[in-house]
Amino acid sequence: MRSVWNGSISFGLVSIPVKTYSATERTASVSFVRIHEKDGGRIHYRKVCELDGEEVSNEEVGKGYQAADDTIVPITDEDLAKLPLPTTKTLTILAFVGADEIDPLQLDKSYFLGPNGVAAAKPYALLRDALEHQEKVAIGKVAMHGRETLAMLRSHDGAIAMHTLLWPDQVRSARTVAPSDDVEIRENELTLAETLMDSLGDLDEAELHDDYREAVEELVAAKLEGGEPAAPRAAPGAGGKVIDLMAALESSVRAARESRGAGGGDGAEAEQDEESASVTPIRGRKAAKKTAAKSASGGGTKKTAARKTSGSAAKKTASGKASGGSGAKKTAAGGGSGGKKAAAKKSAAKPAAKSTAKKSGKKASA
């Protein structure tokens, strides 16, 4: 790899000469060229001077700063090298902080730092091991590619990785895109969402590949062969249908568990997860309440059934007695009339008691 910046890391009285290499590459991503749609010819961009209209080579292109009045001031590399900035050749470490204190929105570009020379190997390894042992990152400033930027150093795979950071005022606020505060999230919805997160399992790096690039390559191959490109595969959940949130979460949890079980998961563990993730959907609350009420009144149901059974048996016994003779009918009739008279006496006694109470109350008041 070719180094893109040479300098040194400085913290305290320690100085470590380093070389900087790009840690990422974008050559594997999909890229297109500009063409003329009429005849398919390539469209090239040429550097043309707006004063004389002539094309300029890369060797003749320099830097310039456009002032407020649109005046362009030429700036040379010698002018930049004379700037009183210690960070032009030195990455100055300002502090050591926890990695969770850095907002990922500030991450810009990634580089690898390597020791520049044999004498730099030991202090380089010392800084790397200290970062790893303390589980911290170093925050500093460095001037690269014509501008000064924040930088974060961390231990990575036996080396020191550097991530250039945006300045805090370069990160926009998310308040304008966040939903309003009146969105209500129910506890069972949050519980099921967390269950779905746990069901998805760990990240498998073998599944991380560029589907878009593969689809473009298949499209190009089909066009080269003169055939028709394959029909696009419908994305899951496409169509813009409005669905029940709880139903979607439950289906997602079920699908995640099935895929994990197909990969060799334990059946007992899956069954245990199924029991722990049983959440009642919003639209099924009434049915759930009815079911709970039925289960809670199970004893009453048994008693009612017992009463019905004893009632039927009593009816059979009564019918047997009735078929035995007319004496039974008279006895039953007599019992019935006696019951009616007793009920009449009780009902008559209640108003009498009330009137007696009223009379006694009047006497007492007199």
Side-chain angles (χ1 to χ4, degrees):
M1 292 187 292
R2 184 177 64 88
S3 62
V4 296
W5 182 83
N6 295 342
S8 61
I9 302 173
S10 174
F11 64 104
L13 298 178
V14 180
S15 180
I16 309 171
V18 292
K19 289 185 177 183
T20 306
Y21 308 90
S22 295
T24 58
E25 59 181 357
R26 299 182 180 273
T27 56
S29 61
V30 176
S31 61
F32 299 98
V33 297
R34 303 285 182 177
I35 64 171
H36 188 193
E37 292 184 352
K38 182 178 180 180
D39 52 17
R42 284 282 303 272
I43 302 297
H44 295 278
Y45 293 93
R46 295 183 173 90
K47 301 178 180 65
V48 178
C49 178
E50 65 179 11
L51 295 180
D52 55 18
E54 296 182 359
E55 185 176 353
V56 181
S57 62
N58 291 330
E59 291 76 12
E60 299 177 277
V61 176
K63 299 183 183 70
Y65 186 87
Q66 188 170 3
D69 58 352
D70 294 337
T71 301
I72 297 179
V73 181
I75 302 294
T76 63
D77 293 337
E78 291 76 12
D79 295 333
L80 297 176
K82 296 177 182 178
L83 292 176
L85 286 177
T87 56
T88 53
K89 286 297 181 181
T90 303
L91 193 158
T92 304
I93 295 178
L94 304 176
F96 294 90
V97 299
D100 56 350
E101 298 183 33
I102 304 302
D103 190 345
L105 289 175
Q106 289 186 252
L107 297 177
D108 191 10
K109 295 182 179 180
S110 302
Y111 301 90
F112 289 140
L113 300 181
N116 189 3
V118 179
K122 186 171 183 178
Y124 177 94
L126 178 61
L127 176 60
R128 176 201 61 196
D129 294 346
L131 291 173
E132 184 174 1
H133 184 262
Q134 293 291 326
E135 296 182 353
K136 291 186 175 183
V137 297
I139 302 299
K141 293 195 302 182
V142 63
M144 294 178 60
H145 308 303
R147 62 188 180 95
E148 187 178 54
T149 180
L150 288 173
M152 180 184 75
L153 305 183
R154 67 183 181 94
S155 176
H156 174 74
D157 198 16
I160 296 178
M162 181 181 74
H163 304 273
T164 56
L165 304 176
L166 300 175
W167 298 98
D169 58 356
Q170 291 180 299
V171 179
R172 296 176 176 175
S173 174
R175 295 178 181 176
T176 57
V177 298
S180 58
D181 297 336
D182 57 355
V183 178
E184 181 182 359
I185 302 297
R186 296 179 175 86
E187 184 177 356
N188 56 348
E189 294 174 339
L190 182 60
T191 301
L192 194 54
E194 293 174 351
T195 303
L196 174 59
M197 294 169 62
D198 296 336
S199 301
L200 292 177
D202 298 331
L203 179 65
D204 186 5
E205 294 187 0
E207 298 179 357
L208 301 180
H209 55 275
D210 192 347
D211 294 329
Y212 182 75
R213 184 185 65 184
E214 294 178 0
V216 171
E217 291 175 352
E218 293 175 1
L219 173 64
V220 172
K223 285 183 172 290
L224 289 176
E225 295 176 359
E228 292 293 331
R233 296 185 295 269
K241 297 182 180 179
V242 179
I243 59 176
D244 187 355
L245 177 60
M246 291 296 294
L249 289 172
E250 289 176 346
S251 301
S252 302
V253 171
R254 193 179 306 111
R257 285 192 178 131
E258 289 176 356
S259 61
R260 189 178 62 178
D266 189 1
E269 181 182 354
E271 184 178 357
Q272 183 179 1
D273 291 343
E274 184 71 26
E275 293 178 357
S276 62
S278 59
V279 179
T280 305
I282 298 175
R283 58 184 181 184
R285 283 183 173 178
K286 295 182 178 180
K289 289 182 179 179
K290 292 180 179 179
T291 306
K294 289 181 179 179
S295 61
S297 60
T301 307
K302 292 181 180 179
K303 291 181 180 179
T304 305
R307 289 176 182 174
K308 290 182 179 180
T309 306
S310 61
S312 61
K315 286 182 181 180
K316 291 181 181 179
T317 306
S319 62
K321 290 181 179 180
S323 62
S326 60
K329 291 182 179 180
K330 291 180 180 180
T331 305
S337 61
K340 291 180 179 179
K341 290 179 180 180
K345 289 180 179 180
K346 290 181 180 179
S347 60
K350 288 182 180 179
K354 291 182 179 179
S355 60
T356 304
K358 290 180 179 179
K359 290 180 180 178
S360 60
K362 290 180 179 179
K363 291 179 180 181
S365 60

